[in-house]
Each structure stands twice: as structure tokens, then as C-alpha cells.
Amino acid sequence: MRRNDNLSMVLLIILGFLCYCCERGLSVTVTYDHRALVIDGKRRVLQSGSIHYPRSTPEVWPELIRKSKEGGLDVIETYVFWNYHEPVRGQYYFEDRFDLVRFVKTVQEAGLFVHLRIGPYVCAEWNYGGFPMWLHFIPGIQFRTTNDPFKEEMERFLAKIVNLMKEENLFVSQGGPIILAQVENEYGGVQWAYGVGGELYVKWAAETAVSLNTGVPWVMCVQEDAPDPIINTCNGFYCDQFTPNSHSKPKMWTENYSGWFLAFGYPIPYRPVEDLAFAVARFFETGGTFQNYYMYFGGTNFGRTMGGPMVATSYDYDAPIDEYVKIGVFDGHKREPSQWVCSCLQSDGAMGGDGGYSGTSEAVVWNSDVRQGVAVGGFIRQPKWGHLRDLHMAIKQCEEYLVNADPIQQTLGVNLEAHIYYKTSNDCAAFLANYGSSSDANVTFNGNSYFLPAWSVSILPDCSNVIFNTAKGGANSCIKFIIDAIMFY
Ligand SMILES: *[C@@H]1O[C@H](CO)[C@@H](O)[C@H](O)[C@H]1NC(C)=O
Ligand SMILES: CC(=O)N[C@H]1CO[C@H](CO)[C@@H](O)[C@@H]1O
């Protein structure tokens, strides 16, 4: 008897301990401070990338996310598309390409986090910016301002999405992958047109978002006056000059354009990876701790989903993962490359002809019977994907230093500077930058000499050895990115 009593006591203690552990594991908290997002008590440096779920198909989501993870991402960001989720007022649709829960769970299965940008105005070169057409016909409605009919509908949809995520335990506070949410979108750029109504609307949107109790921080991008506790974040091609509106908020970059969207009559957008890597490295050099590629995988505007002037079917965006999809079955028989068969999804979702598109080559052998095939989505775009992956690894190596303190700036010459992150007085990581766009330079830092190509950043996780240079340390191959293609939404 006695022995059994002891045994049950021990079991009880073990059980109690297990529960304590489970609960801790389940309810991860996300907060933030001046330096970074704080996940489970730890400041984090995070690389994020946009993948919009309806711009590909559920079959390829796992593959896209796997390639994102291999590319060094920690977070997948997506908008939520109201007009397709609620095509008729009160009638919801979350199937197929619009299966948001499945998408978030796919990211979770890969072990990555999610940034859910609910909006519900999202812009995104999406039809009507994501607003359902029926919204337009509600009597007395005025969009995106302090207007009761609009606020009622917006609040209803925000709550619908938040509750859907909660029911599935998808917020990180419930053991899910969502660490961050966004309300509204780039409103600061148009707010002047709404006067006082706009100011009141921003306050209302912030309060409404916070009142939904997600347990994760909310952001507003391009919103200088974002009220506490909402974090205002930067969107743009370069964000190193950005500072948040309060010392208690971290420096975050929610849209960093990996390229641009394609429009009819314009050239195919292209952003050199050296320039993109330079912008990202500069951001982390100057105190940033969260950065998102818009887009990491752009994909395709299926059906009539695209919006905005002349926006094309392709939403490839010159992203690190391209928009093309292979469908086939691996039948175990090796073939010569000339015998590979590739079929592709066309813009309307139908199967295209064999070899209709050629992505970058991958060593996969495909059966020609595409109809019963599996889909493999997105080919990595080289050298973009690989160069950025190396950059992410280099920044990751500096994480402990980056989250520890603000960087100390040191001038090294004309257009030349260092930023040093100290852990202790003789333990540091450094970024050396040459932000002049035309001349290479040699600099002296900490008594050592370093070659810095024009428009480049070198990363030294130990303040001494260069493990990465954004211009690859080679000849001056970088050109300052000039957006001569398209400049409109
Ligand atoms: C940098 O130093 C190297 C080695 O001394 C030299 O060959 C090179 O010309 C220098 N480059 C510049 C831009 O000063
Ligand atoms: C919100 C934001 O910063 N958007 C900018 C994105 O980049 C384009 C091109 O530089 C700018 O025109 C936008 O203002």
C-alpha cells in the first residue's frame, strides 16, 4: 500500500511537471521592446517573406514554404483577401486556394512563423484592394474613414478572421505559428485626404484590433502616428533611415520589394540581388531586427483577382522563388535532361502544354502523365535565392549581438562607415558599409584593412573576419536600383 502511495505521489509530481512544461510550450508569448520582437522571452532577429496563398495552389504550398525555410526565412507573411472570403455578405468561402487555415497550418508544419496582414484593405495589386463589391452598395458607406457602416463591416471581418484563427489555435499564444498581425495597410500614404476623419479612423482601427485579444502584437505599416501599442513599420526599397514613432518599439520593415509587379506595356521588373542584399544588410546594420521580402514568392494572379492599372497576370515580382510550377510524378526512372517533361499551370489554372515554361533547372525527373501528377511549386531563382540565403545565415550569426544593444556608428571615410554591436567591451559584431554607388574603397577597421566594393556591406560576426559581402566581394557588379519601370499602384 505504502509503496503504491509513494508511487502515485511520484507520478503526480511527474505529471504536474509535464503539464507545466506542456503549458509553457503551448502558450508562447510575443511582446516587443526597443530592440526586437520578444518571442518566449527572447529577442529575435527575423527574416520574413511574403507568399500570398491565393497566388498559388494548396498542392504547392508545402514546397514553396520548404524552399523559403531553406532560404533562411523564419516568417511567412500573407495578406488576407476579404472579397474572395466573403463574396456575398455573410457567406464565407475558405476552400481551395482560399483555404487560409490550411495555409497557416502548412507554415506551422514547416516550423516557421506567420505574419497575418488582415487589413482588410490590402491593396496588393488585388481586385478592389480586397474589398468585396457588395461593400460599395451599402447605403451611406464611406471606405477607410470614421464612417459607421464601414466600421461595422470592417470590425465584423477582422473579428471573423481572428476568431477563425483562434478556433484553430493558430496564434502563437495558443501554440500556433502566428506571431504578428496587421490592421489596415499603408493608410499613412492617403490619410491626408481624409482630414480629421482619417485620424479618428486610425485610432479606432488600432483600438478595435487590440480589443480582439490575439495575444500577439499588431502592426500598421506606413503609419507614422500608429497609436500605442501598435508598432508602425516601414515599407520601401530602402528602410535604413527609418525610426519607429516610440523608443519602446522595434525597427521593422514589412515590405521590402524584391522586384516589382509586372504591368502591361512595361518591361519585366528586375532588381539585382546585390542591391537587395545591400538594402537588407544596411537595415540590420542600422538597428533593424525584422525584415520582410515583398514578395519572396509572387506567383500568379489567377482569374480576375488582379487589380490596379494594367496589372498583368504574372505576379512573379522577380522574387527569390519564381512563379512557375511543375506537375508530374516521379516514377523512379532516371532520364537524361532532354527527356524531362514539364507541364505548367496557366494563368487560368488549367494545365499548360509540355515545356510551356522553363524554370531554372532542377534535378528532378518527371513522368509525362501530368494529369495524375504532383505539383512542385516555384523554382529557386539564382543567384537571388542563394545570395540572400547566405546573407540570412551571416546575419543569424550576429543575432546575439544585434539584439543586445543599439549599434555604435563609426565613420571610416567618405560614404564609408561601420556599425558595431557590442556584447561586452571586447566582444562584438560589425557591419562595414560603402554606401557610395560608384567607387570601391579600402578601409581600416580595428587595425585591419578591408576591401569594400561600391554599394556594399561586409558582415563581421566577430568584428574581425568577413563572412559575407553583399556585392559578393567581387568586382563592382552592383548598380543602384533605379525604378524606371513602373511607379504606380
Ligand atoms: C585596395 O587595396 C588593394 C591591395 O592593396 C589594391 O590592389 C587596390 O587597388 C585598392 N583598391 C582601392 C579602391 O583603393
Ligand atoms: C509605402 C512605401 O514606402 N511605398 C513606396 C514603395 O516604393 C515605391 C518606389 O520607390 C515608392 O514610390 C512608394 O512610396
Side-chain angles (χ1 to χ4, degrees):
M1 280 305 266
R2 243 205 108 74
R3 226 185 117 203
N4 275 353
D5 275 0
N6 278 346
L7 194 65
S8 26
M9 196 62 166
V10 169
L11 280 177
L12 258 178
I13 290 169
I14 291 174
L15 212 68
F17 182 70
L18 281 178
C19 285
Y20 169 77
C21 290
C22 294
E23 258 169 40
R24 261 186 58 81
L26 276 177
S27 73
V28 170
T29 58
V30 186
T31 56
Y32 62 82
D33 64 15
H34 165 67
R35 281 304 305 142
L37 285 180
V38 179
I39 302 178
D40 214 12
K42 219 177 133 203
R43 287 180 180 157
R44 294 292 304 274
V45 167
L46 298 168
Q47 304 290 347
S48 170
S50 292
I51 299 178
H52 296 158
Y53 50 99
R55 284 178 159 138
S56 61
T57 57
E59 301 79 57
V60 301
W61 293 343
E63 180 67 13
L64 296 177
I65 292 161
R66 185 180 70 74
K67 286 178 174 148
S68 306
K69 186 177 183 180
E70 279 175 19
L73 296 194
D74 308 290
V75 183
I76 301 294
E77 176 275 341
T78 184
Y79 280 130
V80 175
F81 301 90
W82 188 3
N83 50 359
Y84 278 75
H85 288 309
E86 196 179 356
V88 175
R89 191 168 180 275
Q91 288 181 27
Y92 295 100
Y93 181 77
F94 289 97
E95 309 290 316
D96 194 40
R97 285 188 291 117
F98 291 91
D99 192 341
L100 175 59
V101 167
R102 177 168 169 187
F103 181 75
V104 173
K105 286 187 174 171
T106 307
V107 177
Q108 180 176 26
E109 278 155 23
L112 298 185
F113 295 125
V114 170
H115 174 201
L116 195 66
R117 303 172 85 194
I118 307 176
Y121 181 77
V122 296
C123 193
E125 290 72 63
W126 190 263
N127 199 343
Y128 217 27
F131 280 167
M133 193 45 79
W134 53 260
L135 200 64
H136 181 86
F137 297 104
I138 291 178
I141 201 159
Q142 255 188 306
F143 293 169
R144 305 176 81 195
T145 186
T146 182
N147 166 275
D148 286 340
F150 177 74
K151 290 197 295 190
E152 204 173 295
E153 295 302 324
M154 173 164 161
E155 183 166 2
R156 202 170 49 80
F157 185 70
L158 280 175
K160 171 78 191 173
I161 296 299
V162 166
N163 290 334
L164 180 65
M165 297 297 109
K166 279 187 185 170
E167 280 160 26
E168 301 283 342
N169 294 319
L170 292 176
F171 286 103
V172 82
S173 47
Q174 307 172 288
I178 305 173
I179 53 164
L180 203 61
Q182 179 180 300
V183 60
E184 249 298 340
N185 186 65
E186 298 190 336
Y187 187 70
V190 296
Q191 191 174 330
W192 59 271
Y194 295 87
V196 177
E199 277 170 46
L200 293 172
Y201 169 64
V202 168
K203 289 206 181 80
W204 170 84
E207 279 163 20
T208 304
V210 171
S211 75
L212 293 170
N213 286 321
T214 57
V216 304
W218 288 86
V219 303
M220 282 179 145
C221 62
V222 195
Q223 191 69 54
E224 271 173 42
D225 60 349
D228 297 345
I230 310 263
I231 307 169
N232 64 311
T233 64
C234 179
N235 289 0
F237 283 93
Y238 306 94
C239 282
D240 49 305
Q241 303 294 325
F242 171 79
T243 39
N245 66 14
S246 149
H247 192 73
S248 67
K249 298 175 186 178
K251 174 170 171 175
M252 295 174 63
W253 186 2
T254 39
E255 288 193 20
N256 171 11
Y257 308 109
S258 58
W260 201 244
F261 59 84
L262 176 66
F264 289 108
Y266 291 88
I268 292 176
Y270 166 67
R271 184 177 190 184
V273 66
E274 293 85 352
D275 179 63
L276 183 53
F278 173 81
V280 172
R282 282 290 276 170
F283 181 72
F284 287 92
E285 173 185 344
T286 54
T289 46
F290 177 104
Q291 181 273 138
N292 178 70
Y293 294 99
Y294 191 99
M295 305 292 296
Y296 196 76
F297 164 83
T300 306
N301 291 313
F302 293 105
R304 292 174 179 272
T305 55
M306 79 278 275
M310 310 294 277
V311 173
T313 306
S314 168
Y315 201 68
D316 180 84
Y317 234 92
D318 195 27
I321 303 177
D322 75 21
E323 87 174 288
Y324 305 117
V325 173
K326 253 187 195 174
I327 296 182
V329 198
F330 181 54
D331 63 1
H333 296 294
K334 276 210 156 79
R335 294 194 182 82
E336 292 307 309
S338 62
Q339 296 174 287
W340 293 4
V341 179
C342 157
S343 271
C344 309
L345 281 184
Q346 289 175 337
S347 57
D348 58 2
M351 301 285 194
D354 288 350
Y357 293 125
S358 56
T360 50
S361 62
E362 283 199 349
V364 188
V365 183
W366 300 94
N367 185 301
S368 59
D369 188 2
V370 296
R371 273 152 310 200
Q372 23 167 309
V374 291
V376 173
F379 298 93
I380 55 179
R381 175 171 275 128
Q382 296 288 35
K384 203 169 238 186
W385 182 90
H387 192 49
L388 294 175
R389 179 200 52 200
D390 295 347
L391 168 65
H392 302 151
M393 284 162 59
I395 292 172
K396 201 53 105 191
Q397 279 200 43
C398 304
E399 180 168 21
E400 280 178 52
Y401 298 88
L402 265 68
V403 296
N404 193 54
D406 283 334
I408 309 289
Q409 192 212 10
Q410 186 182 323
T411 301
L412 303 174
V414 180
N415 295 333
L416 300 164
E417 66 182 6
H419 281 84
I420 308 145
Y421 287 92
Y422 286 98
K423 225 163 43 171
T424 61
S425 60
N426 55 5
D427 187 10
C428 59
F431 290 68
L432 311 185
N434 178 353
Y435 54 93
S437 55
S438 49
S439 335
D440 299 343
N442 288 313
V443 297
T444 304
F445 173 72
N446 256 358
N448 296 322
S449 178
Y450 299 92
F451 174 68
L452 283 180
W455 205 246
S456 82
V457 176
S458 286
I459 299 178
L460 296 65
D462 56 357
C463 266
S464 152
N465 293 295
V466 176
I467 59 163
F468 184 86
N469 175 272
T470 56
K472 301 176 180 179
N476 181 9
S477 59
C478 32
I479 317 132
K480 191 174 186 318
F481 183 47
I482 301 157
I483 311 114
D484 50 0
I486 21 186
M487 289 288 295
F488 58 77
Y489 270 106

